[in-house]
Amino acid sequence: MNKILIELLQPIKHEKEGYEPKFYHEGTLLKVIHEATDAYLVKADDEFSFSIRKADEDVTWSKL
């Protein structure tokens, strides 16, 4: 897969069972580690990974 980076256009709060809630601010860069049909699996600098919906492109995040 090509290296894809996305930048958050809006802050997000992500909650994952067994973990403390994570807050990511506008401008945060996330690395795409897997692409699915309707979402990307992304990883932040803190090594936390989660899915982000493709439908939210140019609303919540944008590709760099």
Side-chain angles (χ1 to χ4, degrees), residues 18 20 22 26 33 50 53 56-57 61-63:
E20 291 292 320
K22 298 279 186 170
E26 179 181 334
I33 57 175
F50 57 95
R53 294 173 1 130
D56 292 335
E57 185 171 5
W61 60 270
S62 66
K63 285 183 189 174

Side-chain angles (χ1 to χ4, degrees), residues 46-59:
D46 61 5
E47 299 297 315
F48 190 77
S49 59
F50 57 95
S51 295
I52 195 159
R53 294 173 1 130
K54 287 182 177 180
D56 292 335
E57 185 171 5
D58 297 325
V59 176

Side-chain angles (χ1 to χ4, degrees), residues 7-64:
E7 178 181 10
L8 293 181
L9 301 174
Q10 296 181 14
I12 60 170
K13 176 183 176 185
H14 189 76
E15 297 180 87
K16 190 173 187 178
E17 188 175 329
Y19 293 89
E20 291 292 320
K22 298 279 186 170
F23 297 92
Y24 296 99
H25 301 284
E26 179 181 334
T28 299
L29 300 178
L30 303 167
K31 180 180 177 184
V32 174
I33 57 175
H34 181 75
E35 182 176 358
T37 304
D38 60 350
Y40 289 115
L41 180 62
V42 297
K43 187 185 325 181
D45 286 342
D46 61 5
E47 299 297 315
F48 190 77
S49 59
F50 57 95
S51 295
I52 195 159
R53 294 173 1 130
K54 287 182 177 180
D56 292 335
E57 185 171 5
D58 297 325
V59 176
T60 305
W61 60 270
S62 66
K63 285 183 189 174
L64 295 180

